[in-house]
Amino acid sequence: MVKILLILCVFLCVQDEPTLSWNESYKLTWADFKGAANNKVSAVAITASGISFGFSVRETDAEVVSFSTEVFSHFYPEQSWYKSNLADNHVLGHEQLHFDITELHVRKFRQRISLLKVSNHIKNELRQLNKTINKELTAMQDKYDAETNYSRNFENQAKWKSYIANELNKLSKYKSVE
């Protein structure tokens, strides 16, 4: 008997909510930010992005015989916003880098998945890897904002842009493609 199990975990996403998938040849524009600006906070813009992850496991006689995964980086336009009177191209670049950091973690996720072996523990390993990657993603997003002072530190912003570009390049084998 063959049994197939499918798990889908989507973070920061409501079912049927429009998304933009990360694409190397597309850069965000302010037109992509469709949420209402929150004037009660000091932020000039907010990028809502996240990782969607799904996997299927094929089992025969209670033994896992194979698994497959899907991992994607998404931008959520309706949860992303900006204050048009304060935002500029520099801030947009900062927001794009948040999305790029999400893609970097998708690539790290795919790389780590490629190292996994089929076993009866694969479901737990995949779930744990998903948790770990999302914790790392959150930590890097927070560090990025802290070190760039939310884009106001131009020198550190430039350093982060270069760093993320290099890291994405190192993991280009695992990039998202449309």
Side-chain angles (χ1 to χ4, degrees):
M1 177 181 169
V2 174
K3 180 170 71 171
I4 296 180
L5 170 70
L6 178 64
I7 307 289
L8 181 62
C9 302
V10 181
F11 296 93
L12 292 175
C13 184
V14 178
Q15 229 173 1
D16 297 325
E17 179 180 345
T19 63
L20 288 175
S21 295
W22 190 93
N23 184 308
E24 189 171 39
S25 63
Y26 183 79
K27 297 297 179 200
L28 296 173
T29 68
W30 287 125
D32 296 320
F33 292 70
K34 302 200 183 289
N38 182 348
N39 291 313
K40 295 178 182 175
V41 298
S42 63
V44 174
I46 294 292
T47 293
S49 65
I51 297 172
S52 64
F53 167 60
F55 67 86
S56 63
V57 174
R58 187 166 174 248
E59 297 176 316
T60 304
D61 299 325
E63 290 292 318
V64 173
V65 294
S66 67
F67 72 96
S68 63
T69 62
E70 289 188 345
V71 184
F72 297 102
S73 175
H74 294 292
F75 172 84
Y76 304 100
E78 293 177 8
Q79 295 181 40
S80 301
W81 55 265
Y82 72 105
K83 296 175 182 173
S84 59
N85 58 326
L86 298 172
D88 59 19
N89 286 336
H90 176 74
V91 172
L92 183 60
H94 178 84
E95 299 307 314
Q96 175 67 52
L97 211 53
H98 275 295
F99 194 19
D100 294 346
I101 289 169
T102 303
E103 170 65 13
L104 174 61
H105 284 79
V106 162
R107 293 181 189 193
K108 289 179 177 192
F109 200 172
R110 289 180 183 142
Q111 179 189 41
R112 292 179 195 174
I113 288 169
S114 75
L115 301 174
L116 296 176
K117 305 292 183 218
V118 175
S119 76
N120 283 346
H121 305 287
I122 196 66
K123 291 180 263 187
N124 288 334
E125 290 175 45
L126 288 167
R127 287 183 189 114
Q128 186 56 51
L129 183 55
N130 183 37
K131 286 180 188 176
T132 300
I133 284 290
N134 276 286
K135 283 180 186 174
E136 291 173 9
L137 170 59
T138 299
M140 184 176 278
Q141 296 283 22
D142 291 346
K143 183 177 181 184
Y144 168 57
D145 272 338
E147 289 184 3
T148 63
N149 192 16
Y150 303 91
S151 83
R152 292 184 283 264
N153 184 321
F154 285 72
E155 182 181 334
N156 282 352
Q157 181 70 37
K159 287 177 183 176
W160 269 92
K161 183 176 181 178
S162 177
Y163 171 73
I164 295 302
N166 287 334
E167 292 301 303
L168 286 169
N169 189 50
K170 287 178 192 175
L171 295 170
S172 62
K173 174 180 177 180
Y174 302 99
K175 73 179 173 181
S176 294
V177 289
E178 283 296 307

